[in-house]
Amino acid sequence: MDKKETIKELKFEKIVSEGVMKQLGAKKALKEIVAIQQKKKTQTYDTAIEALEKQIPIKMKGMRAVNDFSGRYYTCIGTCPICGEENIYRNSNYCHKCGQALDWGGE
């Protein structure tokens, strides 16, 4: 299972779990316990989905070449498409501010 399929599966499980909780007609105490467990489970799903989505590379914005002192191409820099962090160098696979995986294209 790849990352996108895992995200899809986790989102589905989250929806199913929320539906099960709504259908329970148990006593108030049981409902409260289930609600607490559901909240924790939902937070876990959200955290897992967010972490997996950050691992899927997203194309950089505002890419431009950087030349050395003699005018020759040195490297490339760009802007993170998620948080807007600027001047990220091409040798970075992840944004150092938000952790998003970066796609520089053509590698």
Side-chain angles (χ1 to χ4, degrees):
M1 183 180 296
D2 71 0
K3 293 172 187 169
K4 288 183 181 180
E5 290 171 343
T6 303
I7 292 168
K8 185 177 178 181
E9 184 69 24
L10 285 170
K11 286 181 179 178
F12 175 76
E13 287 291 328
K14 178 183 171 188
I15 291 168
V16 169
S17 296
E18 290 170 350
V20 168
M21 193 190 113
K22 288 178 184 176
Q23 291 179 1
L24 287 177
K27 296 178 184 177
K28 187 177 180 181
L30 179 60
K31 272 187 162 179
E32 288 180 28
I33 291 170
V34 170
I36 291 168
Q37 290 175 339
Q38 182 62 33
K39 183 177 179 182
K40 288 181 181 179
K41 185 183 277 188
T42 299
Q43 290 170 344
T44 302
Y45 284 133
D46 289 341
T47 302
I49 291 166
E50 182 182 345
L52 285 169
E53 286 177 337
K54 283 189 178 228
Q55 293 179 26
I56 298 171
I58 297 179
K59 189 112 174 120
M60 291 292 289
K61 293 184 348 187
M63 293 186 348
R64 62 190 183 280
V66 174
N67 296 327
D68 64 11
F69 63 91
S70 63
R72 292 179 296 205
Y73 173 82
Y74 175 67
T75 189
C76 187
I77 59 174
T79 302
C80 177
I82 300 299
C83 71
E85 181 70 11
E86 296 178 342
N87 300 326
I88 300 173
Y89 285 86
R90 186 177 182 103
N91 63 347
S92 298
N93 293 323
Y94 293 89
C95 173
H96 58 274
K97 183 175 181 183
C98 71
Q100 176 64 49
L102 304 172
D103 176 11
W104 290 93
E107 290 187 331

